[in-house]
Each structure stands twice: as C-alpha cells, then as structure tokens.
Amino acid sequence: MDNLFNEDITNEYAKASSCILQITQREPYLSGKGVIIAIIDSGIDFYLPEFLDSNGNTRILSIWDQTDNPRLYTQEQINEAIRLGRIEGSRIVPAEDISGHGTAVAAIAAGTISGVAPQAEILVIKLGSSGRNSFPLTTQLMRGINFAVNTGIERNMPVAVNISYGNTYGDHQGNSLLERFIDNASEIGRTSIVIGSGNEGISRGHISGTLNRRTELEMAVSDFETGLSIQLWKYYQDKYRITIVSPNGEMLDFDTFGSREAQIIKRRLENTDLMCFIGVPLPYNINQEIFIDMIPDLYIASGIWKIIIEP
C-alpha cells in the first residue's frame, strides 16, 4: 500500500510539473475524449487495467503488429482475448510487449488510472525489426505513421502520434527523408506528431564548430566496448583530410573530396576493423556524411583514439 501511495504522489507531482493538472482539473477540463493517441513503439500489455474502460472493455482501437508475421488485431479480438485471460487470449491476439517500453509510454500518455488523457482512444503500432535482435527499419516507422494518420482521417478524429523511439543518427538539420516525411504527415488531417528528445542528458555525444585550421579531437574508449560508430557532417564543398589514430599510434587517413560517388574505405587498426563511408549529397540533403564504423574482433582497443581534421 505504501508503494502505491508513493507512486501516486510521484505521478501527481510529475503531472503538476508538466502543467497537466492546470488543464485537466480545471477549465477546460481536458481528458482526451474524442482524440486518438497512437503509440508507435514496442507494443502494449493490453490486459492491464490502465487500458480498460469502466465496463472492463479495451480502449484500444486496434493493434498493428509489424513483427515476424505482420497482422492487424481489431478491438473485438482484443476484447475477446481479455475475456479469455492471458493464456487462452494469446491464441487470439499473440502480440506482446517484450520490453515493456511501449506499455509504459501508453500508460503515461493515455492510461485510465495514471494517464494524461484517460479518455482518449488508443491506437498501437508495434514496430517490427530488420533482423534478429535489431532495430526497426525507417520504412516500418514511416508506415506506422501513415497508418495512424489514415486512421484519424477515416474516423474523422484528431490523432496525436507518439514516437518515443529513435537514436542520435543524422545531421539534425531536418533534411533527411524520414524527417521530411514526418513534416508532410503532420500536415494531413488533424495530426500532431510528438517525438522524444532522447535520454542522452549531459553525455556530450555531439560536438560542432567551424574549422579553419588543423583540429585534433580525442575520444576515450573504455574496456570491453564491443562496437562504436562516429558520424561527421560537413558542407559537401568544404575539403578536409581526416586521420584516425589508434591508442598505439596506428593511422588511417583519407580525403573527403575528389569523387562524385560514395566511397567505402576499410582498414584495420590494432584489433579493430574500421569501415569508413564517405557520402555524397542526396536529394533531400546537400550535406556530406562521413560515417566511421569500428568493428573489433572482440573488444575495441581501449585508450585514447584521435580524429584529426585538416582543412
């Protein structure tokens, strides 16, 4: 009982800090009624009371499971699975949330007990994966967004699409195909797309600036690192030479100009294979990407790695 009380206090404090209580417990008394909240994530545990109405029926419109055998589960099927219970119900709706991330996100956004919008309709898109133990494809995310937007149009309802899923890839200029797609999707129907800003905190995973002289960057790699990738983004017309130096002083250098086609340079430094991709402008992005993937036999050589950039 104490734990439940503490969780309730924490939840109310979080809502107050986010200015949620000011619009839900007084005018305009917003509850999410008449709105679809689409959760594009790892799925949902639809048996939980957080996603049931006062009659014990699901508030989930449908679940689109993009994994191994993509399938759409209707509200009627979800209700039948709930009535049968978890074991028997899994035969009707086998879609599970293995990580629990999607369930947590859905509960925060639209949970009956603790959610910000407890009367909203819920739409769930469980993202697939591009391979075993790998991440979803960009196209799967795009199809999920498209499904959510179209559902809102078909039902003549506003839809808020939540994407608490992603990485730090890209040049953060909003010019990638995915970013352009999201911009366009947000202009269709009555659509609002909300994307998490990440959990990086003060990890200082980025650095930027203007280089007009030789610049040396140091990167500390700890023991037992099984892989690492680095991205450099620059204006395509700017000419640089890049040198990568391992902790023991082995070097790889290459130029970022001189070719109209993308290049891949492979080299082994110490016990680590380096694959360097030198990109070219794309239809939606005129910047140049230099992607460095570090692939060790077992672990990357620990110590100080250096990246030297010479204009």
Side-chain angles (χ1 to χ4, degrees), residues 282-299:
L282 300 172
Y284 288 98
N285 196 343
I286 61 172
N287 292 330
Q288 184 179 27
E289 174 190 15
I290 296 97
F291 183 86
I292 303 166
D293 198 10
M294 304 175 72
I295 309 169
D297 293 336
L298 186 59
Y299 303 115

Side-chain angles (χ1 to χ4, degrees), residues 104-116:
V105 170
I108 293 170
T112 302
I113 302 168
S114 59
V116 171

Side-chain angles (χ1 to χ4, degrees), residues 59-265:
R59 293 171 45 229
I60 301 171
L61 296 175
S62 62
I63 299 174
W64 181 23
D65 187 352
Q66 293 185 352
T67 54
D68 301 331
N69 183 24
R71 185 175 172 184
L72 180 66
Y73 299 100
T74 66
Q75 193 168 54
E76 291 74 20
Q77 290 174 308
I78 298 169
N79 276 325
E80 185 177 355
I82 291 171
R83 285 192 289 272
L84 292 173
R86 286 184 183 273
I87 297 176
E88 293 296 323
S90 63
R91 298 177 183 176
I92 299 172
V93 183
E96 296 181 284
D97 181 9
I98 303 300
S99 72
H101 188 271
T103 299
V105 170
I108 293 170
T112 302
I113 302 168
S114 59
V116 171
Q119 294 186 34
E121 307 282 357
I122 304 171
L123 186 67
V124 176
I125 296 97
K126 180 180 178 180
L127 289 172
S129 58
S130 55
R132 187 175 182 83
N133 299 321
S134 60
F135 294 102
L137 294 169
T138 299
T139 50
Q140 291 172 318
L141 177 57
M142 294 165 75
R143 291 176 66 198
I145 295 171
N146 190 59
F147 176 72
V149 172
N150 285 339
T151 299
I153 293 173
E154 291 168 3
R155 293 176 176 266
N156 192 28
M157 295 173 67
V159 57
V161 182
N162 186 91
I163 307 173
S164 296
Y165 212 99
N167 54 41
T168 57
Y169 185 82
D171 64 352
H172 309 309
Q173 299 297 312
N175 295 321
S176 71
L177 181 61
L178 174 60
E179 290 164 322
R180 291 293 184 93
F181 177 87
I182 292 173
D183 286 343
N184 291 339
S186 66
E187 297 173 353
I188 300 173
R190 290 176 288 167
T191 303
S192 176
I193 300 178
V194 182
I195 302 176
S197 59
N199 303 322
E200 300 295 321
I202 56 172
S203 59
R204 300 181 66 186
H206 298 78
I207 188 170
S208 64
T210 301
L211 301 182
N212 50 26
R213 57 183 175 80
R214 183 181 184 276
T215 301
E216 185 175 298
L217 305 174
E218 293 188 346
M219 182 174 61
V221 176
S222 61
D223 296 333
F224 312 118
E225 290 288 348
T226 58
L228 187 65
S229 60
I230 304 162
Q231 298 170 67
L232 304 176
W233 290 88
K234 71 176 189 65
Y235 294 123
Y236 180 72
Q237 67 271 21
D238 289 344
K239 301 179 179 181
Y240 290 95
R241 170 164 292 162
I242 295 176
T243 304
I244 303 171
V245 185
S246 73
N248 284 346
E250 297 180 18
M251 293 189 296
L252 161 65
D253 60 49
F254 55 88
D255 295 330
T256 63
F257 57 94
S259 175
R260 294 178 179 270
E261 297 182 355
Q263 302 177 65
I264 295 179
I265 299 173

